Amino acid sequence: MNAGVVIVGAGLGGARLAENLRQAGYSEPITLIGKESQIPYDRPPLSKAVLRGERDLVALKAEEWYADNHIHLLLDTDVQGVDLAAKSVDVGAGESLAFETLVLATGLDPRFLPHSAVQGGSAAAEIDGVHVLRTYDDALELRAAAREGVRAVVVGAGFIGCEAAASLSILGATVTIVEPAPSALHAALGPTIGARVEKLHTDRGVTVRTGVGVAELTAADGAVTGIRLDDGSTLDADLVVLGIGSTPTTALAETIGLDLSDRSVGGGIACDAVGKTSADGVYALGDVANWSDETGEFGRRVEHWNHVVEQAKVVADAIAGTDKASSTPVVHYFWTDQFDLKIQCLGAPAADDDVHIVDEDGDKFLAYFSRDGILTGVVGAGRAGAVMKMRPTVAARTPVADLL
């Protein structure tokens, strides 16, 4: 028996990889190492049902499943280092784990405002009332701070920011969203869909300020008091949620000496088309990994749930020696739940694509995205069936004129 697989990162990617390895017949030891104390859980509900107190932690598998499948869960553990020559992982307290194959699934770190944008030059993370929303503990802390009438400012109108704003509003907070881009979800879906998302929020009492950024986060006695915007206006706040993006957690990869991808193509750990890194026996997957295509071109670091799931299958087959070539094109899919509306996105829509609204009824709509006359994606709100049936049409690179 060899030393097996050690997976650093017990999120969706790491947990699904362990599951897929067993399904592929891999019988060697598997160790799954997580920084958090909770068993692997689903992150999308954090900004929605978990924040609103409607659900508790949403485990990906019951704890006994790992024991039943002989997967060693090592939680609340921060990996101290890796010795590639000795093939061992330092997990602290003088303990190390041997491995035959190492997989990095370390995910993302949320961005904070720079010290220069915080009154007194303090670290935003150290100010009471300033929150990010990446972990289960983050969601519990924000839930505890949210109450009827609390003044909340959400910085960033991306998916996490909009979802958090909706949940806080439902909880009774007075919510303002601040976004320097011209519209909500602008980078992902552009101004046409962004305007519809803004209306969804404003119709329910949320104030949306676009085209304006944060000049300074203000605080007194170690607690947040508000936001000064770069147009000179100010917003009083009892709590501030930072939804300004994330960065790949590459610190461990850097200490090992793995190649990283350039930020211009998404950053993260550079991998080939099946997740192999620049070091023998080391793979990476999930939000931290930038997979190349068969030509070696990078730019495939995609932060979507289904993308991670697909990568876990590929890496599992590569490690288990059951590589399966698929002729079916991967069509990306992601979604966001805001208030009572599910917005689904299929394919690879871009902010500067042409947008064709083909169906609308109040907040509900269906839109086709196209580039150079070819369908690139479908976005729908309250149109689940209509979106999902378009998967083969998107995969076929259908001329959009054939659909209008």
Side-chain angles (χ1 to χ4, degrees):
M1 178 177 290
N2 67 32
V5 176
V6 170
I7 306 166
V8 181
L12 174 66
R16 282 298 181 93
L17 173 58
E19 178 183 3
N20 288 328
L21 281 168
R22 289 298 186 234
Q23 290 177 346
Y26 184 83
S27 59
E28 305 296 345
I30 299 174
T31 301
L32 186 56
I33 304 174
K35 291 179 67 173
E36 298 177 63
S37 58
Q38 295 84 14
I39 63 172
Y41 61 86
D42 210 13
R43 294 191 191 277
L46 296 180
S47 56
K48 301 178 277 285
V50 174
L51 175 54
R52 296 193 297 267
E54 298 165 0
R55 297 195 68 174
D56 202 349
L57 182 133
V58 182
L60 294 170
K61 292 285 186 182
E63 189 166 6
E64 55 268 24
W65 179 88
Y66 297 94
D68 291 344
N69 286 274
H70 307 289
I71 295 167
H72 180 212
L73 270 181
L74 191 58
L75 303 177
D76 201 18
T77 300
D78 196 0
V79 170
Q80 304 299 303
V82 173
D83 186 332
L84 289 181
K87 288 196 168 184
S88 67
V89 175
D90 180 357
V91 292
E95 183 181 357
S96 63
L97 299 174
F99 66 83
E100 182 68 24
T101 303
L102 177 67
V103 182
L104 301 185
T106 47
L108 303 170
D109 290 320
R111 286 195 181 99
F112 285 85
L113 293 172
H115 289 208
S116 59
V118 180
Q119 189 176 44
S122 302
E126 297 174 357
I127 296 176
D128 288 343
V130 177
H131 300 263
V132 292
L133 193 47
R134 175 68 184 168
T135 69
Y136 178 67
D137 288 342
D138 291 338
L140 294 188
E141 290 175 8
L142 184 54
R143 184 204 298 176
R147 60 188 182 277
E148 188 77 27
V150 73
R151 298 168 300 177
V153 174
V154 177
V155 181
F159 293 111
I160 293 295
C162 287
E163 290 171 0
S167 293
L168 290 170
S169 179
I170 290 170
L171 290 172
T174 300
V175 182
T176 300
I177 300 175
V178 175
E179 169 57 58
S183 71
L185 303 183
H186 191 271
L189 299 176
T192 301
I193 303 303
R196 289 177 173 270
V197 172
E198 286 178 40
K199 186 175 185 300
L200 174 69
H201 282 258
T202 56
D203 284 351
R204 288 156 178 79
V206 175
T207 300
V208 182
R209 298 279 305 274
T210 57
V212 61
V214 173
E216 186 179 49
L217 186 149
T218 59
D221 299 324
V224 69
T225 59
I227 296 284
R228 182 169 61 83
L229 303 178
D230 58 16
D231 65 358
S233 62
T234 59
L235 298 170
D236 294 332
D238 304 304
L239 67 86
V240 170
V241 180
L242 301 178
I244 54 178
S246 304
T247 56
T249 307
T250 57
L252 182 60
E254 292 177 53
T255 63
I256 298 173
L258 300 183
D259 289 348
L260 302 181
S261 293
D262 190 83
R263 290 183 181 179
S264 64
V265 291
I269 302 170
C271 304
D272 70 7
V274 296
K276 293 179 181 178
T277 72
S278 56
D280 289 342
V282 181
Y283 291 77
L285 64 85
D287 295 340
V288 75
N290 195 324
W291 286 23
S292 67
D293 59 20
E294 290 74 10
T295 68
E297 181 178 348
F298 290 99
R300 295 175 61 197
R301 197 182 67 78
V302 181
E303 298 175 12
H304 297 323
W305 195 93
N306 79 309
H307 188 76
V308 177
V309 170
E310 291 297 325
Q311 286 187 334
K313 294 177 183 176
V314 173
V315 174
D317 287 333
I319 293 172
T322 56
D323 298 41
K324 300 173 183 176
S326 172
S327 60
T328 304
V330 175
V331 177
H332 297 309
Y333 169 72
F334 58 100
W335 73 95
T336 175
D337 295 312
Q338 299 176 32
F339 294 104
D340 55 351
L341 203 64
K342 180 179 287 294
I343 303 171
Q344 297 167 289
C345 308
L346 190 69
D352 57 353
D353 283 355
D354 295 321
V355 180
H356 316 268
I357 305 296
V358 296
D359 178 30
E360 55 185 325
D361 179 13
D363 292 329
K364 299 178 181 180
F365 66 87
L366 183 69
Y368 296 160
F369 280 60
S370 67
R371 191 179 314 126
D372 299 327
I374 300 298
L375 183 71
T376 56
V378 177
V379 177
R383 293 287 187 262
V387 171
M388 299 313 293
K389 76 176 185 180
M390 293 295 291
R391 186 182 293 270
T393 309
V394 173
R397 294 181 52 78
T398 304
V400 73
D402 294 351
L403 307 171
L404 301 176

